[in-house]
Amino acid sequence: MRVFRLLQLAAQAEGLRWKRMGRGYAIQAALGAGAAAFALMLLVMLHVAALIWLAEGRSGVSAALILAVFDLVIVVVLGWLASRPGADPVALGAARVRDDALRQLGDQAARAAMVAPLLRSQTAKKGLVGAAVTAAVVGLLARR
């Protein structure tokens, strides 16, 4: 019964980890979309500034260039925020729980493998030898 509980715990932890990772990717995508929108506005403002500069004197250009610099700052800040790989502590905890549950499941399987030769054996002497060999093999594999 403990094996099924460990498998259930590992599956729940993995589901939580995937959910939290998806949430992080969605936030990064939204910030990236915001940066792209402001980059587009920056391009429009630079075109408007060039048009005003060509059409008239320098009075409209200074206002458009100030707004373009402001847009550039927003693009840089949002782009920097979107590029950060924020580690979610809940997802990291869920990964640890999953790993612990799977490790305990492996321990349970090793114990079952050690007891199985005793149960299948015709005589206790053969069963003890088989259990000792199985325990040695499982011990060597567990150390890797």
Side-chain angles (χ1 to χ4, degrees):
M1 202 59 157
R2 181 167 165 78
V3 171
F4 294 118
R5 178 68 181 129
L6 289 173
L7 284 174
Q8 182 183 19
L9 182 63
Q12 287 174 348
E14 187 67 11
L16 179 61
R17 188 177 77 85
W18 277 98
K19 182 178 178 182
R20 296 297 292 216
M21 284 176 44
R23 179 180 174 270
Y25 290 143
I27 289 172
Q28 282 183 333
L31 290 173
F38 275 98
L40 183 60
M41 286 190 266
L42 173 67
L43 185 62
V44 169
M45 291 307 300
L46 287 175
H47 285 100
V48 168
L51 180 64
I52 292 173
W53 182 67
L54 290 173
E56 294 181 11
R58 305 254 184 217
S59 63
V61 173
S62 61
L65 287 177
I66 289 172
L67 191 53
V69 168
F70 180 73
D71 286 343
L72 179 62
V73 169
I74 290 175
V75 166
V76 168
V77 168
L78 288 178
W80 176 73
L81 287 174
S83 69
R84 289 185 4 191
D88 186 9
V90 174
L92 293 175
R96 276 193 296 262
V97 168
R98 179 204 59 207
D99 293 341
D100 288 343
L102 291 177
R103 188 177 321 106
Q104 289 179 21
L105 180 64
D107 292 345
Q108 291 286 328
R111 285 189 197 108
M114 289 185 335
V115 171
L118 285 173
L119 297 176
R120 286 182 285 166
S121 166
Q122 299 295 339
T123 66
K125 186 177 182 182
K126 285 183 186 176
L128 290 175
V129 171
V133 170
T134 304
V137 170
V138 169
L140 290 174
L141 292 176
R143 289 186 184 146
R144 286 186 181 190

